[in-house]
Amino acid sequence: QVQLVESGGGLVQPGGSLRLSCAASGRMFSIREVALAWYRQAPGKQRELVATISSVGSTNYADFVKGRFSIFRDNAKKMVYLRMNDLQPEDTAIYYCNKDGPFLYSWGQGTQVTVSS
């Protein structure tokens, strides 16, 4: 099956920035035809949708990140990215990439983002 590997997380102070990367590997069908997304799961909360990008590059963002985060993709490299600016403590979570459902791939391990002063 398709494997998803997230990277780029770390510890950052409030107001800082990070770029997360997601690499897909394994057998994959029609990557250019699927909508991709970033999700996150904060302590004590369920996984939530952060941002989506369609097969033609149309993006949507959750209200709590709009204006701060940007999602983009590189189909040739089978990569999807999330640029996060003006990070706040409430952004602390494990971040995951996947399809914008339904029919999600198996979840990767995610990458930890911690925003703290």
Side-chain angles (χ1 to χ4, degrees), residues 41-108:
Q41 186 167 20
K45 299 181 66 176
Q46 293 187 319
R47 184 180 285 112
E48 62 185 351
L49 185 65
V50 174
T52 66
I53 183 166
S54 76
S55 61
V56 295
S58 179
T59 60
N60 282 288
Y61 300 92
D63 288 341
F64 49 83
V65 303
K66 187 173 294 184
R68 299 188 296 122
F69 291 10
S70 298
I71 184 172
F72 53 104
R73 63 191 292 168
D74 186 331
N75 290 338
K77 296 180 179 179
K78 295 189 287 187
M79 299 282 290
V80 61
Y81 306 90
L82 184 70
R83 180 66 182 180
M84 305 183 295
N85 295 321
D86 193 27
L87 284 161
Q88 301 299 312
E90 54 265 36
D91 297 315
T92 296
I94 302 175
Y95 285 73
Y96 303 86
C97 61
N98 215 308
K99 295 180 178 179
D100 181 18
F103 310 121
L104 300 180
Y105 297 127
S106 297
W107 295 103

Side-chain angles (χ1 to χ4, degrees), residues 29-52:
F29 303 100
S30 301
I31 184 64
R32 71 182 185 89
E33 298 179 3
V34 301
L36 300 173
W38 283 93
Y39 304 78
R40 72 185 187 187
Q41 186 167 20
K45 299 181 66 176
Q46 293 187 319
R47 184 180 285 112
E48 62 185 351
L49 185 65
V50 174
T52 66

